[in-house]
Amino acid sequence: MNSRKRTLGMLGVATAVLLATSACSGGLLGGGGGDKTDSGPIIIGMIVPTSGSSAPTGASMANGAKMAVDEINKAGGILDGRKLELQIADGACDAQQAVASANKLVSSGVVISVGGYCSGATLPTLPIFDKAGIPMIIPAANSQDLVKEGLKSVFLINGTGLQQSTAALTFIKKQGYKAVALVDDNTSYSVDITTETKKQIEADGTSKVVLKTSVNAGESDYSSAVRDIMGSGADLLYWTGYYQEGGLIIDQLRKAGYTGDIMVADGSADPTLATIAGPAAEGVYATMTPTPNTIKGAEGWIADYKAAFGDDPKPYSTQSYDAVRLAAAAFTAAGNTKTDDVIKALEGIKDFDAFSGPLSFTPEHTLANGGFVILVMKDGDFQLFDNLQ
Amino acid sequence: MAQFISDIPQVFWDGLFVGSFYALIALGYSMVYGIIKLLNFAHGDIYMVGAFIGYTILTAIGGTFHMLGLFALIIVMMISMLITGVIGVVVEKLAYQPLRGAPRLAVLITAVGASFALEYGVAAIASPNPRGFPVRLDGDFVLVLGARVTIPQIILMLIAGALMIALDTYIRRTSTGRAMRAISLDMKGSLLMGVKVNAVISRTFFIGSALAGAAGVMAGAYYGKIDFLMGFIIGLKAFTAAVIGGIGNIRGAMLGGLVLGLVESFGSELVGGQWRDAFAFAVLILFLTLRPTGILGERVTERV
């Protein structure tokens, strides 16, 4: 049984390598570019979770990207009238599913990738796209691990865990919290932020980390984490996991009589947090990149989104929209879709007009300005509380 | 350490409360296994369906609920139980009965299939968004030996206890109960003695699924969140509970649920919450290797 499993696994690896090399040789023939043709639609790939517990966010990201594609096509396309074509593939927030989807996108001839929500599922897709000569503009996933390898083709347009931790520390000092409890859900992204925040709080020294622990995602009862937090004497809980578990923990914590403040990281900064936690969510802070409803001047965009999809835009729909526009801008600046030219064009982007503010990249291909702000939950929705400027 | 000792009553109560949910779901697992030796992996998803049915009814009746209070919640729970019971029977008729003579592995695979069909069926109908339950059990708490015990917890445990006692009496005192026990001992023999085997199996599925549906509504009202994958982990936990208590044994399933809840609670208190699942399933392995018949498991020699 075991050896058969291993054979299957090796077969899988072999297929992946085959796919990657075949795509690679295609790239070489095309002169280091992703595609060989200079006409016809430009295919943009996007891996987002369309199944599993993060499916709502994935659907919203896909919608944001669709909106940008439609707008660009309506305006006549790019590179002498070539149209954009969006291919969505399911990443399911699962590494294996994401790798399968990445291989599928590579073999269907995408020239750029604008997907990536869960860092844990995005990470294994990077070498696949990189080998195939496909640049990646990652709209949501923001673990430091994504840029650790230093792949030239990876660009993050969401603030990273490091930038988020810095924002968290700034707020902690500003509010004068003394005892901070850090809780994550054991996923790459979430642990990233608690670890980095702990490091920064300890280096700073004005406050103390009284608890750092993890919970398992996908359960309903978090009484043991609640006991730990209550016992630690924290005056601020910083939860860095997703909103499903976050909502439950906040509700159970308040029911257990916790009176300190609560702050969540961007994975929980979603209005659904309030439907799950109920009244307990009032007054919860969040470290977050600007969302559609906290961006000044986005009202028209929100109305368009609602008209097109009959639903409110969720977090990361704007980043996905920007990722497609950024890709189009890079193609236009490069004058073609060849890998090296597009990467150079992206590196040269200066103050691109994005929802999160003027966008440029650092030499590590992360945002020059992380743009994290503090939101607060009020009447069931997050509003801007402090822009940390 | 002093912190741990003063926490013991709270840890004990938290474990007991979660354990009573495990027990309610473990009952269905155990009954079905006892009677047709099938691990019904779709059982955890029946719990999820129960929560969604409760959600739909409560949303439909909307504002009138608050005037009726707890009584209405119990009525809604009973309606959900009826519907999930019927769904359980339908799943059995479609996915398990045609495979009655087939190798057990084949039925196990259809069980996994039924589980995914229910999960993604609900996701397709109700959208994959998590929902906030329209009714939330809130209430005061009392301190028992330093443990914070809330009124909703007490109410839910009383309901769970009442359901379990009713089931136990049903199995032990009625003719259908006797037929169930007979089939679990020897299906062919019971058939020859004139027991309507298929009808009794259907009834077993109905009861087991109804209990899971009740647990689903209770979980929705207590935790406040439902989503289409909520049955997965708790289904596995209930299976673990059934094995701990002795799979096929009704009282064992109840005991196993409570034991598992306590093991998890004390385990995560001692070594940290992120170890909770590792702990629960390590206990499963321990039982399967050291005492596969579970705490109250029947001796296999009985079945000659």
Side-chain angles (χ1 to χ4, degrees), chain B residues 54-133:
Chain B
Y55 170 88
T56 313
I57 301 173
L58 286 171
T59 312
I61 59 176
T64 51
F65 177 81
H66 293 285
M67 292 180 288
L68 301 167
L70 187 69
F71 182 67
L73 189 63
I74 292 178
I75 301 283
V76 168
M77 192 180 85
M78 286 178 161
I79 301 172
S80 303
M81 285 173 75
L82 269 179
I83 302 176
T84 48
V86 171
I87 293 174
V89 173
V90 170
V91 168
E92 196 267 335
K93 291 273 178 239
L94 290 179
Y96 306 146
Q97 203 185 73
L99 290 151
R100 193 80 84 220
R104 262 205 246 165
L105 192 61
V107 195
L108 193 70
I109 300 293
T110 55
V112 174
S115 163
F116 279 113
L118 285 173
E119 280 172 15
Y120 289 93
V122 169
I125 296 168
S127 96
N129 292 313
R131 305 291 180 96
F133 215 66

Side-chain angles (χ1 to χ4, degrees), chain A residues 41 149 167 196 290 331 335 355 362 364:
Chain A
E149 293 273 316
E196 190 53 50
F331 290 143
F355 274 110
T362 63
E364 291 79 43

Side-chain angles (χ1 to χ4, degrees), chain A residues 302-365:
Chain A
I302 294 176
D304 289 349
Y305 183 101
K306 271 190 187 160
F309 306 108
D311 194 10
D312 282 324
K314 292 207 167 54
Y316 304 118
S317 50
T318 50
Q319 279 92 338
S320 305
Y321 175 82
D322 282 340
V324 172
R325 287 176 51 242
L326 189 61
F331 290 143
T332 310
N336 60 47
T337 60
K338 289 196 184 101
T339 313
D340 294 340
D341 296 350
V342 172
I343 290 176
K344 243 181 233 127
L346 282 169
E347 284 173 340
I349 290 277
K350 198 107 202 96
D351 294 338
F352 177 79
D353 184 23
F355 274 110
S356 57
L359 184 154
S360 326
F361 288 108
T362 63
E364 291 79 43
H365 293 182

